Amino acid sequence: MSNRNHLYDCWLGFENLLNPPLKEEYMKYCKNIYIRGSNDIVLAAMNELKLAIKKIFNIEADIYRRRPEAPYVLVGRLEDVANKGHVLQSGLKAEGFCIENIAEDGNDAILIIGKDGNGVLYGVFDFIRSICCGKTIEAALKVDFPRNSLRIIDHWDNIDGKIERGYAGESILYRDNAIVKDKSRVRDYARLLASIGINGIVVNNVNVHKEETKFVTEDYLPEIRGLSNVFSEFGIKIYLSINFAAPIEVGNLPTADPLDPLVKKWWADTVETIYDYIEDFGGFLVKADSEFRPGPYTYGRNHADGANMLGEVLKPYGGVVIWRCFVYNCIVDWRDRSMDRAMASYDNFKPLDGKFMDNVILQVKNGPVDFQVREPVSPLFGAMEQTNMMVEFQITQEYTGQQKHLCYLVPMWKETLDFDTYAKGEGSFVSKVADGSLFNMRYSGIAGVANVGDSPCWTGHPLAQANLYGFGRLCWNPEMTSKEIADEWTLLTYGNQGEVVMTVTSMLLGSREIYENYTSPLGVGWMVNPGHHYGPNADGYEYSHWGTYHYADLKGIGVDRTSATGTGYTKQYREPAAGIYENIQDCPEKFLLFFHHVSYNHKLKSGKTVIQHIYDIHFKGVEQVKDLLTQWSSLKGKIDEDIYSLVLEKLRIQLRDAKEWRDVINTYFYRKTGIQDIYGRKIYK
């Protein structure tokens, strides 16, 4: 059994998985590192390569500033490399890299050349990844670049150390109402993020509280600069979530009206001060006019008015405004079935298309409601043809087991990115909206809400590391499959034992469907306990003001979102999606109850009734969790004991909770309908 898989190392354990002949071939080059240029990020890349070589081959690589008279690995930016081999013909793109093998004056060399500092760093990590995955040198050679220009992690961390929707301990950024003094763990985190290609981080909660509102002032900017310096070493720009009412709360102005000249001047002065401290500051993330957060609506203005005012003051510095589209009326009357929370983002932002500045980016959640385990793709993707857009995913598992349950989220994200909007005909995938190519947008990308904290394994559940890793890899290349990412992460984290790789990968790939089976089949979400969103509560939100209903009664269940008889939400999609969702016969059954209200005796394509499907799928989900436990138990003695024990503990919690979900939901629907399970299984009547 290997001891390499320490909880803390994640996928950077750097174990050599090569056979002896291949190991010798790599070692021939790795004894010598030839570095060109003195860019800080290039130096970080050199240090990462040196560290990996030490761990993998147990040798200390020699560092050269002049070409050595022996085989070597060259690390440098394109502009700093004199003999570029074939790189000049490769058309390197921003943050891209080339790894090639050349013979030069009798000496073989592996060149890792980046278009810029970030490209060098990503190239080095890719080279290390190839070695650790057991690839041949030939297989390691490539030209590559990130498909999405912005690849951002959003932290919902508060200065008191708490994390909103955090399930892995407390913040690694804040402690005791202050920014952490010891930044060694922050640096280790920056390494993890850089290794998967992340180039931006929002360091505070989108719900900006009183103290964090001051982050844009000199009360905190010196210390935030300290954070920024750590991340900058690894090519990661820092962003701040801001309180739209900051001109009032910290600027002592009577208003935060975005069209008020004094407000604009206050923000202009504030931005100037920020860039005095943080030269490569990325910009602002804004949640406005939603869930009681202040915004331009307070003053009779619209989202474009608010975003553009901020965009104008950031533009001279190259900064951007990321404006969240998670807005809706959170004081909904449950009595009024015409009101539909799912429609809010589209209704608010579609009329404003083309009215935002070119450094404003709209950040849209993958689904129209709120990170449910199963919901359709937001119709806002593809609807904004003249506006920069980003996709927002939630890596932290708010509605998918809160990192107590295994739920590999990459398949969910793939479904979003692979969805065809038909905005410019067939093939207008969300991935093309995210990377800006569909409408030729200046700024675009993907953001993910972080799932890390100060837990020993960063993510609370060791297997939840796969979601963080998978997010980064998918941002880099959305064409990667869920299995490719799972295989890669498992190899890097647990080694190349065939049984381990096959078992862990299988567990990951099946886990989202398993979670869905025992919680929310056919597109019904939100049957959770209010507030914390953990555990089953079928009517928890049914009569609330939050607008998240399933409308179950004695006859049927589901939300009628059709244009013919319901809220009209289906009309927000382009054809053919609009027609598919509108027609109950064509609607994918995984979304049936999201779009249609049906009787419990409605026949599915399987021939089962809806009610029988609900019973069956909840019983099945529990059995599937039992199988996860069996699979994991087979790995005892084959992986690190600490990891094995912690995952085993989490899976036992998951089994307990899956049974609770099964019993609560099945009993709820039996008591609602009086319809028996045809198999006579235990339901609490």
Side-chain angles (χ1 to χ4, degrees):
M1 182 183 74
S2 172
N3 291 318
R4 66 176 288 276
N5 295 308
H6 189 277
L7 288 164
Y8 190 84
D9 290 338
C10 299
W11 52 88
L12 295 183
F14 298 148
E15 182 173 289
N16 174 29
L17 306 179
L18 304 173
N19 58 47
L22 195 53
K23 178 178 178 180
E24 290 299 317
E25 190 173 349
Y26 270 106
M27 282 184 66
K28 178 180 76 173
Y29 297 97
C30 290
K31 290 176 181 178
N32 304 300
I33 300 174
Y34 176 24
I35 181 171
R36 298 299 307 269
S38 56
N39 175 275
D40 288 346
I41 304 174
V42 174
L43 294 176
M46 178 201 72
N47 288 328
E48 288 297 326
L49 182 58
K50 191 172 189 299
L51 174 64
I53 290 169
K54 171 68 175 177
K55 285 191 171 184
I56 295 169
F57 302 111
N58 197 30
I59 59 174
E60 290 282 353
D62 292 322
I63 307 298
Y64 293 86
R65 284 288 182 176
R66 300 180 67 179
R67 191 180 65 194
E69 299 298 320
Y72 59 87
V73 179
L74 180 144
V75 176
R77 297 178 300 177
L78 187 61
E79 64 185 74
D80 295 321
V81 178
N83 185 351
K84 302 174 178 67
H86 301 292
V87 175
L88 281 175
Q89 294 143 31
S90 69
L92 284 186
K93 298 183 179 181
E95 300 187 285
F97 62 85
C98 174
I99 304 175
E100 64 174 325
N101 193 193
I102 65 169
E104 189 177 59
D105 296 337
N107 285 337
D108 289 342
I110 292 175
L111 310 183
I112 305 175
I113 299 175
K115 176 70 172 179
D116 43 39
N118 279 31
V120 177
L121 185 62
Y122 302 146
V124 164
F125 275 121
D126 195 273
F127 182 64
I128 296 168
R129 185 161 47 242
S130 293
I131 297 174
C132 293
C133 286
K135 292 183 179 180
T136 64
I137 289 179
E138 185 178 3
L141 307 180
K142 64 173 63 175
V143 176
D144 204 2
F145 64 95
R147 308 314 187 266
N148 294 286
S149 59
L150 295 176
R151 307 172 305 280
I152 296 178
I153 293 290
D154 289 352
H155 273 259
W156 289 358
D157 296 33
N158 301 317
I159 198 167
D160 63 2
K162 305 299 181 186
I163 304 173
E164 185 169 333
R165 311 306 181 192
Y167 312 108
E170 298 204 332
S171 174
I172 65 168
L173 305 174
Y174 310 105
R175 184 71 67 215
D176 300 325
N177 292 300
I179 296 168
V180 293
K181 303 298 182 187
D182 180 0
K183 295 182 177 56
S184 55
R185 181 155 186 167
V186 177
R187 188 180 187 280
D188 289 343
Y189 181 49
R191 290 182 62 238
L192 284 172
L193 295 184
S195 74
I196 52 175
I198 300 300
N199 66 358
I201 182 169
V202 182
V203 294
N204 61 306
N205 191 357
V206 292
N207 293 317
V208 186
H209 301 141
K210 181 177 180 180
E211 196 63 24
E212 293 89 335
T213 298
K214 302 175 187 175
F215 278 14
V216 297
T217 73
E218 291 187 279
D219 289 354
Y220 282 98
L221 283 172
E223 291 182 78
I224 292 173
R225 176 173 58 189
L227 276 181
S228 179
N229 289 342
V230 174
F231 287 108
S232 292
E233 181 185 349
F234 293 92
I236 301 169
K237 286 187 177 183
I238 205 168
Y239 298 74
L240 289 174
S241 293
I242 62 165
N243 182 345
F244 196 82
I248 299 171
E249 297 192 15
V250 299
N252 297 315
L253 295 182
T255 180
D257 182 351
L259 300 190
D260 187 301
L262 290 177
V263 171
K264 182 179 177 180
K265 183 180 185 306
W266 185 87
W267 278 112
D269 293 343
T270 296
V271 165
E272 182 180 15
T273 302
I274 292 171
Y275 280 95
D276 283 343
Y277 282 94
I278 306 169
E279 193 174 306
D280 62 346
F281 180 67
F284 295 144
L285 175 66
V286 188
K287 176 180 178 179
D289 291 305
S290 186
E291 298 185 322
F292 311 107
R293 303 306 302 166
Y297 280 4
T298 305
Y299 307 98
R301 316 304 185 189
N302 61 37
H303 292 287
D305 293 328
N308 290 342
M309 179 273 293
L310 294 168
E312 191 173 340
V313 299
L314 283 162
K315 193 174 180 66
Y317 306 92
V320 299
V321 179
I322 302 172
W323 194 273
R324 292 182 89 226
C325 295
F326 183 58
V327 299
Y328 62 96
N329 180 5
C330 55
I331 308 294
V332 176
D333 186 349
W334 58 267
R335 301 165 183 83
D336 182 359
R337 292 202 180 194
S338 69
M339 300 183 70
D340 188 356
R341 169 174 168 170
M343 301 176 70
S345 287
Y346 186 101
D347 287 345
N348 273 273
F349 287 94
K350 174 60 178 174
L352 298 175
D353 189 25
K355 297 182 179 180
F356 293 93
M357 290 183 61
D358 66 356
N359 66 330
V360 173
I361 312 159
L362 300 187
Q363 183 169 295
V364 184
K365 289 187 177 184
N366 59 282
V369 183
D370 193 16
F371 300 130
Q372 299 301 290
V373 69
R374 180 72 68 182
E375 59 180 303
V377 173
S378 170
L380 202 54
F381 296 117
M384 306 289 286
E385 300 183 19
Q386 304 175 71
T387 306
N388 299 312
M389 296 191 74
M390 294 181 67
V391 181
E392 179 179 347
F393 292 132
Q394 191 183 53
I395 312 170
T396 194
Q397 295 171 234
E398 180 180 357
Y399 298 100
T400 52
Q402 301 190 359
Q403 287 147 232
K404 295 186 181 85
H405 297 213
L406 174 60
C407 190
Y408 179 53
L409 298 174
V410 174
M412 179 195 299
W413 302 333
K414 283 284 294 180
E415 288 169 10
T416 298
L417 295 170
D418 293 344
F419 178 78
D420 199 338
T421 69
Y422 285 85
K424 296 182 75 174
E426 188 174 0
S428 301
F429 304 113
V430 172
S431 60
K432 294 183 178 181
V433 178
D435 69 19
S437 64
L438 188 64
F439 302 120
N440 194 30
M441 290 293 109
R442 180 181 179 186
Y443 294 105
S444 56
I446 304 176
V449 182
N451 68 336
V452 304
D454 65 358
S455 84
C457 68
W458 297 90
T459 58
H461 192 316
L463 299 186
Q465 293 174 3
N467 287 330
L468 180 60
Y469 181 86
F471 172 80
R473 297 295 284 143
L474 205 58
C475 289
W476 182 272
N477 181 7
E479 293 183 6
M480 290 188 75
T481 68
S482 299
K483 186 178 185 304
E484 286 173 335
I485 293 171
D487 282 341
E488 192 177 84
W489 175 80
T490 305
L491 274 169
L492 294 171
T493 308
Y494 294 102
N496 66 344
Q497 297 179 72
E499 183 184 352
V500 174
V501 174
M502 184 175 63
T503 300
V504 174
T505 298
S506 174
M507 291 174 66
L508 290 172
L509 292 174
S511 61
R512 185 268 190 108
E513 181 181 321
I514 293 170
Y515 185 85
E516 181 181 14
N517 284 348
Y518 62 79
T519 57
S520 54
L522 305 177
V524 173
W526 283 94
M527 293 193 295
V528 294
N529 285 300
H532 58 77
H533 300 160
Y534 190 80
N537 187 337
D539 283 338
Y541 281 101
E542 193 62 17
Y543 304 98
S544 75
H545 62 260
W546 293 104
T548 51
Y549 313 127
H550 53 70
Y551 294 132
D553 56 27
L554 78 163
K555 294 181 180 180
I557 181 175
V559 184
D560 185 352
R561 289 188 162 102
T562 66
S563 58
T565 58
T567 68
Y569 169 72
T570 57
K571 293 188 296 185
Q572 293 187 343
Y573 293 92
R574 298 176 189 264
E575 295 292 350
I580 290 170
Y581 292 147
E582 176 80 12
N583 189 325
I584 195 168
Q585 301 305 320
D586 297 332
C587 183
E589 289 182 339
K590 61 187 178 183
F591 299 133
L592 178 66
L593 302 182
F594 188 94
F595 285 103
H596 297 274
H597 187 87
V598 303
S599 76
Y600 293 108
N601 290 316
H602 174 83
K603 288 287 185 68
L604 302 175
K605 293 180 176 64
S606 64
K608 293 181 183 180
T609 62
V610 165
I611 188 65
Q612 191 58 48
H613 174 82
I614 290 172
Y615 294 153
D616 287 352
I617 210 71
H618 282 83
F619 281 110
K620 180 181 179 181
V622 171
E623 295 307 308
Q624 289 173 310
V625 178
K626 290 179 181 177
D627 188 54
L628 289 176
L629 260 168
T630 300
Q631 291 182 71
W632 186 255
S633 297
S634 72
L635 301 182
K636 185 173 177 59
K638 298 173 183 173
I639 60 173
D640 180 86
E641 182 61 32
D642 290 338
I643 293 176
Y644 175 82
S645 298
L646 184 52
V647 173
L648 187 66
E649 177 191 341
K650 297 292 184 182
L651 288 170
R652 286 169 174 165
I653 292 171
Q654 185 171 354
L655 179 58
R656 178 201 69 197
D657 292 348
K659 290 176 179 178
E660 182 74 2
W661 270 99
R662 174 198 66 195
D663 292 343
V664 169
I665 301 303
N666 281 350
T667 298
Y668 173 84
F669 284 107
Y670 173 77
R671 293 179 179 178
K672 210 78 164 175
T673 67
I675 299 173
Q676 302 277 354
D677 169 33
I678 61 175
Y679 300 110
R681 293 165 294 193
K682 183 65 175 178
I683 296 177
Y684 295 85
K685 302 175 181 179

